[in-house]
Amino acid sequence: LPEQTLNESEFDLIVFGEGELTLLDILNIWKTGDELENIPGTVIKKNGVIIKNKPRELIKDLDILPIPAYDLIQIENHFGGIRYEKVFVKRCLLLLISRGCPFDCVFCDSKIMWKRRLRWHSIDYVIDLIKYAVKKFNIDGIQFLDDELICNKDRIISLTENLIKTG
């Protein structure tokens, strides 16, 4: 509800859809002092008028995104815990390795955000991300938050085989 949010708040710009490339554009334009009016994926309020720009296309290759800068936050505050039978994993990092969902469930907004498309980080990206997290933060577990993690059986088999291979 970007238009309603702008009407009912003091905000003057909202990003909708995938935000990484849009935010990068905003920061680059803001540094130059230029107007922020025509950035895809934004809705702005200028002189009381709301302008909705065209949506930004979804990122085709998710691997262009860098590994999240976990070191810029207090990562210890964001570890989730997993309890499985008698095992409790305390240092568990929450990960998203895909985006989207191909289904059209009436109760879900995933179809609005992701346009019913399912996209994945490559297996190599995921392995590198997990290796980084284990080494840097000494995690002992991972919880995947993906909408459709097991939608592609071959991909999950490949991921688990690669995890086993890398130790």
Side-chain angles (χ1 to χ4, degrees), residues 58 98-105 108-120 146-152:
L58 295 176
S98 68
R99 291 184 177 180
C101 174
F103 303 110
D104 191 22
C105 302
C108 184
D109 69 345
S110 183
K111 62 188 170 196
I112 296 168
M113 180 71 176
W114 309 119
K115 310 296 181 222
R116 293 184 63 197
R117 290 186 46 211
L118 182 55
R119 296 163 296 135
W120 297 81
D146 303 68
D147 286 338
E148 294 299 329
L149 180 68
I150 58 173
C151 194
N152 183 323

Side-chain angles (χ1 to χ4, degrees), residues 50-62:
I50 303 227
I51 303 164
K52 184 171 185 178
N53 293 307
K54 67 179 181 179
R56 181 173 295 275
E57 287 187 32
L58 295 176
I59 299 169
K60 290 177 179 48
D61 178 8
L62 294 179

Side-chain angles (χ1 to χ4, degrees), residues 76 78-94 138-143:
E76 301 290 330
H78 299 280
F79 287 135
I82 299 175
R83 182 176 304 281
Y84 179 73
E85 293 181 5
K86 295 180 182 180
V87 176
F88 184 64
V89 178
K90 293 181 182 177
R91 298 183 60 79
C92 178
L93 187 63
L94 308 174
N138 194 32
I139 63 167
D140 54 7
I142 296 168
Q143 183 174 0

